[in-house]
Structures are given as C-alpha cells and as structure tokens.
Amino acid sequence: MAGASDNGGWPDDLPDLPEEWGVIVIPDDLSELSDEVDAVRAELRLADPPTRWQRLIRRPGVRRLRRLATTTLRAPVLIISLAVLVTVASLFASAWPGPPRQPATQRTASTTPEQATTLPALELVASDGATVPLRGRLPAVILLVDGCACAALVSDTIDAVGPEIAVITVSAATASASAAGTPPTGATPPANGKTVRILNDPTGSLRSHLNLGNPDTTAAAVLVNRSSQIVRLVPRTATVDDFRADLARL
C-alpha cells in the first residue's frame, strides 16, 4: 500500500489541478459553502419542470414518428406549391397584354357577297338572236333553268306573280329553254296579262356573277326589285313555294 506523503495525506501520483481553476480552498466546515449551494439551486429552479406532453414528445418512439411525418408531408407540400406557382403564372400570362389582333371578317348566312347584291347590267340573247338588256324589265323573277325540267316551276311562278312583275327564264342555249317548257321566243306576249321573257346566256355570265354552282336538276331563282337590288336568291329550287312569300317585297 502506498503510504501517506507530506501533502496532507494525498497520494503523490495524482495530477495537479488546472491552473485556470485558481486557488481552491476547501473549508474544514462545509456549512461555509451554503451560499454557493443556494446559488446553484436557484439556477436550477429557473428551468420549469417538463410537462407530460413534453415528456411524451421527447420519447424516442415519438421522435421517430415526428421525423417520418415530416418526411411524408414534404412531397404533398412541394406538389401544392408547384401547382400554385403554375396557376399564378398562367393568370399573369393571360392578363398580360399581347399584340393587337386584326379583326377577322366572318361571313354569315345573312351576308351576301357584294357582287350578288345588285343584278348585273348584262345583255343577253333572245331566242330570235336579238340583244336584250337583263335590267330592261323590272321588277322580275329570274329563273336559271339549265339542266332543269322546270315547266311546272315556270308555270306556277307566272301564276304567282302580279302583272307588274316579269318572269324571265335564262339558259345557256335555246334548247335548254325548250326543255324547260317555255315558249322558244324572245319577248313573248304577256301570259295571262303578265310579261314572260326567255333569254339565253351562252357564256354563263349571270351564273358566274351570282356565284352559283354548276347546273343540276333544279333551277335557281333570283328576285330583283325595281332598283335592280336582289331581294332573294335561291340557289336551288323546284317549287315556287321556296320564294312565294318574298314576291310581295318586289
């Protein structure tokens, strides 16, 4: 056993205390340290004791659940944030003024091309070879009868119009007019007190001016008032009932 040394009974092999601690005096009566003990206890009392909830959340299992919940919520929060950013960007893009656009011109069913609003000042050929101005007898119902067996249509139109309205049939050749059932003469005598004319248009100028398609088994009807204005254009018709109501406008 190691014997006691001259330094108050402490073994000689113990290391010296750090110099920064200074001089440490250990009193013979420990009651002299009561002031220091009270100061340390006062510092410890400054921290309130943990509540039950704090003790619960400090448990290792609860800490792992908190970390797992935090990791799980990060992805939905990121997705929602991106969606909000995209929505805000779209709103700004739609509200941002762009270059002015030129208004588009739309053609509706009630809009008639400029060249079709007025009857052209054409000169057609009568069956006897004479030149006849198309506007020479207005108001009129003009029937384009190429390729149409329209005898009933022509007869019904003559019966439907008043004595002040002329009925004019136009075809590419005299043979077509004869097939339509109309008399093969130019300026015919009034039928039942009404004016009927049969004219030929070998070049198809009137059909082209009115933007009509190729002839088929139906006729085209053009209602023209006294001022050469086209009141009604029926591209395809086989009965006077298609334009009977418009005759009163001539």
Side-chain angles (χ1 to χ4, degrees):
M1 294 179 64
S5 63
D6 296 337
N7 55 1
W10 292 96
D12 294 334
D13 56 351
L14 291 177
D16 294 334
L17 297 176
E19 295 181 359
E20 58 269 18
W21 286 13
V23 178
I24 300 176
V25 179
I26 301 176
D28 295 333
D29 188 1
L30 295 180
S31 61
E32 296 179 5
L33 300 176
S34 60
D35 295 338
E36 287 80 358
V37 172
D38 293 337
V40 171
R41 288 178 178 176
E43 291 181 2
L44 294 177
R45 281 196 299 269
L46 292 176
D48 296 333
T51 62
R52 293 182 179 180
W53 176 251
Q54 291 175 338
R55 289 195 298 270
L56 177 63
I57 62 177
R58 290 175 183 175
R59 292 182 179 179
V62 176
R63 291 181 180 179
R64 287 193 293 270
L65 289 177
R66 290 171 58 189
R67 288 195 295 269
L68 179 60
T70 303
T71 305
T72 306
L73 290 176
R74 284 178 182 174
V77 170
L78 179 61
I79 294 174
I80 294 174
S81 301
L82 290 176
V84 171
L85 289 177
V86 171
T87 303
V88 172
S90 300
L91 291 176
F92 274 106
S94 61
W96 194 268
R101 297 182 179 180
Q102 296 296 331
T105 303
Q106 298 181 352
R107 179 175 296 177
T108 61
S110 60
T111 303
T112 306
E114 183 63 27
Q115 69 246 28
T117 58
T118 304
L119 185 69
L122 299 176
E123 290 187 348
L124 303 185
V125 181
S127 299
D128 58 1
T131 301
V132 179
L134 185 58
R135 294 181 178 180
R137 179 64 173 86
L138 298 177
V141 176
I142 302 174
L143 299 175
L144 287 79
V145 295
D146 286 322
C148 171
C150 300
L153 173 62
V154 175
S155 177
D156 293 342
T157 302
I158 294 173
D159 293 338
V161 300
E164 75 283 359
I165 300 175
V167 177
I168 303 174
T169 62
V170 178
S171 61
T174 304
S176 299
S178 300
T182 57
T185 58
T188 63
N192 298 327
K194 301 169 185 178
T195 302
V196 180
R197 285 184 174 179
I198 299 96
L199 302 178
N200 300 327
D201 184 12
T203 61
S205 300
L206 180 59
R207 183 177 290 274
S208 175
H209 180 88
L210 298 177
N211 292 322
L212 298 174
N214 295 327
D216 54 17
T217 57
T218 61
V222 186
L223 280 65
V224 186
N225 63 15
R226 198 177 302 276
S227 302
S228 301
Q229 299 298 315
I230 296 177
V231 174
R232 176 78 188 281
L233 172 61
V234 184
R236 290 180 175 82
T237 181
T239 173
V240 70
D241 293 334
D242 291 338
F243 54 86
R244 186 188 299 272
D246 298 294
L247 296 175
R249 301 166 57 191
L250 297 180

